[in-house]
Structure formats: C-alpha cells, structure tokens
Amino acid sequence: MPTVQVTFLGHAGMFIETRHGSILCDPFFNSAYFASWFPFPANDQLDIAPFTKPDYLYLSHTHLDHFDARFLRERVAKGARVLLPDHPLGLVERELQALGFTEFIHTRNAQPLEVDGLRVMITALNSPADGPLGDSGLCVDDGDVRIFNQNDSRPVEFEALNAFGPFDVHFLQYSGAIWYPMVYRFPQKMKDALSSKKRRTQMERALRYAQQIGAPHIVPSAGPPCFLDDDLMYLNDFDRDPTNIFPDATVFLEMVAEAGFTQGHLMVPGSVGTIGEGAFEVAHAQPDAEVAAIYTDKRGHIEAYKARQEATIAAEKASWPRGQVEILPAIKEWFEPLLDMADQTCLGIDDRLLLDCGEAAKVVIDFQDRVVHDWNGEPCRYRFIIDPALVEYCIVNHLEDWVNQVFLSCRFEAERKGQYNEFLYSFFKCLSPERIQYAEGYYAEQAPEQQLWECEGYLIQRRCPHLKADLTRFGEVADGVLTCTLHGWQFEIATGRCLTSDDRRLFSKKIEESEVAQPVASASADD
C-alpha cells in the first residue's frame, strides 16, 4: 500500500498526505506582485475544499507567490500546526500570527524533528540575498517514503540532506523567478544574449541539484509565473523562445530525459502523485489530452485564463494610490535614518541611485553621503524607473521589502553602469531598523576583523548575539546591564551572561589599565 500521496496545487503549492498527517505547502491561488504574477498552469478552477484543513502548514518564505495571505486568511483552517523554518527575524511566524494562526512548531536549521510519528527537517537559508531575508526547503519522512520539497531554495550544504535521505521524490524550481534581464534598458541583442544564458543556466543548476540529491524521481515546480496583464503578456514563453527566462515544465523535462540519471514527471494543478514500493506514479485530474493542450496550445490556455482574470487586474490597478503622498519628503524621512545605520551596505553600493517617478518625483538615494534629495542632474550609477503609484503604495503601506512587491512585479525599468550589485537590492529588502541591522550584522560577520567597542570599562562585541543589532547604536546601559533596545535583550556586562535567554552570550573582557582600548569597528565598516 502506498504511504504518501502528493496533490499538486500549482506553482509551488502541494498537499502531502501521509499516514501521520497532511501538510499543506506554499498554496498560491491569488495574484501576486501588483497582479502581475498568476500561477501557471491555471489553478483558478481547482476545487480547493479538500486542502483547506491540513494537519500541518508549511510556508517556505514570505515571497507573495509562496505566501498567499488572502488564501491563508480566508480558506485555511487556523488549527493547522505550522512547521516554521529557522529564519533569523521570524517573518513567517509574524505574518501567520497576523492572519490568525496560533500553533507553531519551531525547527532548527537542518536538524530532523519527529512530530507525532512524522519526521521532518527544514533547511533554512538566511543571507540577505535569500528570498526576503530567508528561504527554505522541507524534507518529509513517514517511515517508508522520503520527499524533498526544495522549492526556491538553493542549499549549499548537503551533509544533513544526504543523512536525511535517500529521497524518493524531489520537487525543485527550474524556471525564472526574477526581473533580470527583462526590465533592463539594454540593447536588444545584449538582452537576448543575457536571457539565453539565464534560461540555460537556471535549468542546468536545477539538474545539478537533482544530481546532488540523487532521488530517482523529480518534479519541476515553483514556476514559471503566468503574466495576464496586457503590459506584461510578452513575458510568457508562448513558443519555446530560447531567449525567454520562463520556460515551462515540459522544456525542463526534456533536459531531464537527456541527462538520464533520474526520471522526471509532469504535474499540473489537481495531479496526484502516489509514492510507494519504490515507485512514483502520477494521475492527472483531467484527461491526458487536456493536460497536453496546456502546453501545445499555451497561448489559448493563457488567453482563456486572462479573460477570467481581467476584472481582478482592473481592480488591482484601480486601487493604487495616486497623489496621496509627496514622494521625496516621505522617502527622505524613511530612508535617511536607515542609511545612517547601513555602514556595510553603503560601502558595498558606494554610489547613487536615481529613483525616477517621472514628473511626480526624481529622487536621488546617495549611498556615499547617506542622504536623500531631489535630482539635480548629477550622474547616478543606478536608475529605477517606476510608476509613482507603485512607490506611493510602498510608502502608504510602509512596505519594508520592495523586492517582494515592486521588483518581482516586473512593473519597472532599470539602468546601471557595471555589474549587478547585491547590496543594492538587499537594501530594498531591509527598509526597517530591524532588517537593516540584521543585514549589517550578516555582512560584518563575513569580514575577518573582530569588531569590539568599549563600554563601561569593558571591551564587548559590537553586534548583539540575538539578531546582530549594532549595540553602539541600540545599546543602553543601566546598573551593569546592557539592553539592546531593538528587541529588548539584556546582558550582564561583567560576565557576558544573557539575562533573556540561556542560549546566547556576549563577549566581554575587562580593560586593564595597561591595555589600550580597541576601536569600535574595523576601518572598512566605518569609513
């Protein structure tokens, strides 16, 4: 008898049924990113009732094509126990608490955990470049069958995964989930060459992951998105264009077949995969001819989908604010305090960005002088051309992550001189003191210099052991106790003992009279 069944819900969504309970993973049914992304193939006609009362809920990260807040709020039973990735800022937990979920199972990165007979492990990635400050993949073992839902994540350590396996089935991303290079104002030949390389390398990377994991069966998932707005329809890969970064699953499965080391399977919304007795069999909810037509007549499938969603797109556009806020003063008030904290980030960018909102505003974000001001014609290495309504939306809603709304929407254009700069896009994920402090701490840890500062006659570490906040900015001392005001964690200066938690400790060394105090930080961090 089979022990596990997986119903594919579209994009990265799946419903895993085991003898120890069910897991709903990353459901995505409503549009994302200003109604630019929709799941492909279409899942808007799928009967979702069987999947709304899972025993467990897993959200890999908070990108909107994985974290469908409306669906989670309106349709998913709040009694589901949430399997939480070990992310530093707890973004998944916070978002789900706001939606009404109350039962959380905290996991540790790459450490197996048994929950009522079900063995799970979540591999969490935590660099500023990973998703919205974090991404993850889920491993499931019911005693006979093991699944790895890699999702969008790109793990770099495989020891724990190899120890958890061997896996029977591996679900993984293979298609584009980015705005590059389509939004860039490059010459068309250059853009085509970059897109061709991107299309090829992203599928080759997926194959390398499949080879490393070694499962006999793989399922392409987590993309591509479908674009139904007239302004974005050109992004769909209607005709297997070698310069399109959004190939569909059939294109990748042909590459899998040529590689020959594993067997690939096509799943569309409603398909059920049955795992057991060394086999993986897929049964579609509709006749095979209808499934094939999704790909042989992709244009027809998308045009029909578009007709069903036109009202959704129109309502989204009508909701965008226009003229509700003045962009320049709002950005200046918001961003300048963050720039003041962002030593490593500003050093990494080391230039100016022009935020071009047309006649509404042309705003310079100067990462060298750490100021925001009106554009006076000065050269800027980077330029984003964005509809002012989308910038106003971010301001009105105080979105702390513009990547997870504006940039992934592909509803903007960009220019740059030189290469891609990870620090620049990471800055736009970190538009709060908490987020920027985490990113700064992460970057500081990559530097070889130990960062210490003098406080109350002691040399202590500059970064809070909790979430890396800069204690020279957020630390307050009273009665020998240092409090990090960003999250309220407290440390006894004389001993370094944490008064808030048993699993943290502050480096602290008393300065003897003969010793010379070390600088607050390395020159590279402060210059």
Side-chain angles (χ1 to χ4, degrees):
M1 291 291 291
T3 59
V4 172
Q5 285 191 326
V6 179
T7 304
F8 189 67
L9 305 181
H11 203 64
M14 63 185 73
F15 189 74
I16 304 171
E17 297 174 273
T18 80
R19 56 185 173 177
H20 300 297
S22 58
I23 309 172
L24 175 62
C25 305
D26 285 24
F28 173 36
F29 290 96
N30 297 290
S31 65
Y33 313 123
F34 294 121
S36 63
W37 285 38
F38 292 79
F40 177 84
N43 64 356
D44 59 332
Q45 297 179 312
L46 181 68
D47 179 13
I48 60 176
F51 316 115
T52 58
K53 296 182 179 179
D55 296 299
Y56 302 97
L57 176 64
Y58 166 70
L59 286 307
S60 60
H61 59 303
T62 58
H63 272 159
L64 301 180
D65 58 313
H66 297 260
F67 197 104
D68 185 340
R70 178 181 171 186
F71 181 80
L72 293 167
R73 180 179 60 251
E74 297 178 358
R75 303 304 303 268
V76 180
K78 302 305 178 289
R81 303 171 69 189
V82 180
L83 300 169
L84 282 175
D86 187 11
H87 288 160
L89 298 184
L91 299 179
V92 172
E93 182 173 14
R94 293 185 197 180
E95 295 284 349
L96 288 175
Q97 284 176 335
L99 296 176
F101 292 90
T102 59
E103 303 233 3
F104 297 95
I105 299 172
H106 293 82
T107 67
R108 291 295 184 95
N109 179 30
Q111 294 186 19
L113 175 69
E114 185 171 317
V115 185
D116 296 335
L118 191 65
R119 186 167 167 260
V120 298
M121 183 177 76
I122 298 177
T123 51
L125 305 175
N126 294 322
S127 86
D130 291 319
L133 303 186
D135 204 338
S136 67
L138 173 69
C139 305
V140 178
D141 177 5
D142 81 329
D144 295 310
V145 167
R146 284 168 293 282
I147 299 171
F148 180 34
N149 176 14
Q150 183 177 332
N151 220 303
D152 288 5
S153 69
R154 299 179 188 176
V156 294
E157 301 291 342
F158 293 94
E159 184 176 339
L161 288 167
N162 293 337
F164 192 95
F167 294 97
D168 298 283
V169 183
H170 179 190
F171 295 81
L172 77 168
Q173 183 195 56
Y174 63 97
S175 186
I178 194 68
W179 53 89
Y180 170 86
M182 301 84 66
V183 305
Y184 278 89
R185 290 180 169 179
F186 295 146
Q188 192 59 49
K189 286 187 177 180
M190 177 181 177
K191 188 180 291 188
D192 288 347
L194 293 170
S195 297
S196 296
K197 181 180 179 181
K198 178 72 173 174
R199 179 185 176 101
R200 182 178 63 256
T201 56
Q202 65 198 11
M203 290 194 289
E204 290 174 348
R205 180 180 62 229
L207 272 181
R208 288 195 295 272
Y209 273 116
Q211 194 160 26
Q212 179 67 46
I213 297 302
H217 304 279
I218 65 172
V219 178
S221 64
C226 185
F227 301 91
L228 304 181
D229 189 348
D230 287 333
D231 295 338
L232 301 171
M233 285 283 282
Y234 74 96
L235 292 171
N236 295 301
D237 185 18
F238 288 116
D239 304 307
R240 292 181 160 229
D241 182 352
T243 67
N244 189 293
I245 75 159
F246 300 112
D248 63 49
T250 62
V251 177
F252 179 63
L253 288 172
E254 290 174 5
M255 182 180 285
V256 172
E258 291 177 4
F261 64 86
T262 184
Q263 183 177 353
H265 301 265
L266 177 67
M267 298 185 76
V268 299
S271 298
V272 177
T274 302
I275 313 168
E277 299 179 357
F280 180 55
E281 298 180 359
V282 175
H284 301 304
Q286 63 259 60
D288 289 349
E290 293 183 15
V291 173
I294 294 171
Y295 301 95
T296 58
D297 183 21
K298 185 186 289 188
R299 192 175 296 273
H301 178 82
I302 290 178
E303 288 289 352
Y305 194 7
K306 176 179 181 292
R308 297 194 301 271
Q309 297 294 337
E310 281 181 345
T312 297
I313 297 171
E316 170 67 28
K317 289 184 173 182
S319 73
W320 298 345
R322 292 193 182 274
Q324 292 188 18
V325 295
E326 291 187 53
I327 291 174
L328 173 58
I331 294 292
K332 184 178 181 67
E333 181 182 9
W334 184 359
F335 282 21
E336 283 191 349
L338 301 176
L339 293 172
D340 188 49
M341 302 176 192
D343 298 333
Q344 303 282 347
T345 301
C346 288
L347 184 65
I349 300 171
D350 195 30
D351 215 296
R352 290 180 289 268
L353 164 72
L354 174 59
L355 183 62
D356 187 345
C357 301
E359 294 182 1
K362 286 183 170 60
V363 179
V364 173
I365 304 170
D366 189 331
F367 293 92
Q368 294 174 321
D369 294 334
R370 306 198 195 189
V371 293
V372 175
H373 59 80
D374 199 11
W375 185 52
N376 297 309
E378 64 268 49
C380 299
R381 183 177 180 182
Y382 308 101
R383 182 184 181 196
F384 294 151
I385 303 95
I386 305 176
D387 184 333
L390 304 188
V391 176
E392 284 194 45
Y393 180 94
C394 294
I395 294 170
V396 169
N397 293 279
H398 201 76
L399 295 186
E400 297 177 355
D401 182 355
W402 288 21
V403 170
N404 195 18
Q405 189 64 278
V406 174
F407 298 134
L408 281 168
S409 75
C410 298
R411 295 186 184 276
F412 78 110
E413 292 183 282
E415 294 177 344
R416 73 183 187 215
K417 297 177 183 178
Q419 298 301 310
Y420 169 79
N421 190 308
E422 177 184 310
F423 289 94
L424 179 63
Y425 285 101
S426 291
F427 173 77
F428 279 95
K429 297 178 182 181
C430 298
L431 300 177
S432 73
E434 179 185 46
R435 287 172 178 252
I436 201 69
Q437 284 295 300
Y438 174 73
E440 286 293 297
Y442 181 90
Y443 293 138
E445 284 187 346
Q446 310 311 305
E449 301 91 345
Q450 184 181 30
Q451 298 194 341
L452 303 174
W453 66 298
E454 183 179 345
C455 176
E456 300 289 306
Y458 288 81
L459 286 177
I460 65 173
Q461 68 188 72
R462 177 174 176 174
R463 296 285 171 178
C464 177
H466 175 220
L467 289 176
K468 314 304 180 189
D470 186 344
L471 294 174
T472 67
R473 299 178 187 272
F474 294 97
E476 291 185 355
V477 178
D479 299 324
V481 173
L482 174 66
T483 299
C484 176
T485 59
L486 199 60
H487 296 100
W489 281 49
Q490 294 186 315
F491 303 88
E492 190 176 66
I493 293 178
T495 65
R497 183 169 64 93
C498 180
L499 306 179
T500 312
S501 174
D502 291 335
D503 64 349
R504 299 290 198 281
R505 189 171 188 84
L506 184 79
F507 174 84
S508 177
K509 178 184 177 183
K510 188 173 180 61
I511 301 174
E512 303 297 337
E513 290 185 4
S514 59
E515 289 185 317
V516 178
Q518 298 184 30
V520 169
S522 66
S524 63
D526 287 341
D527 284 354

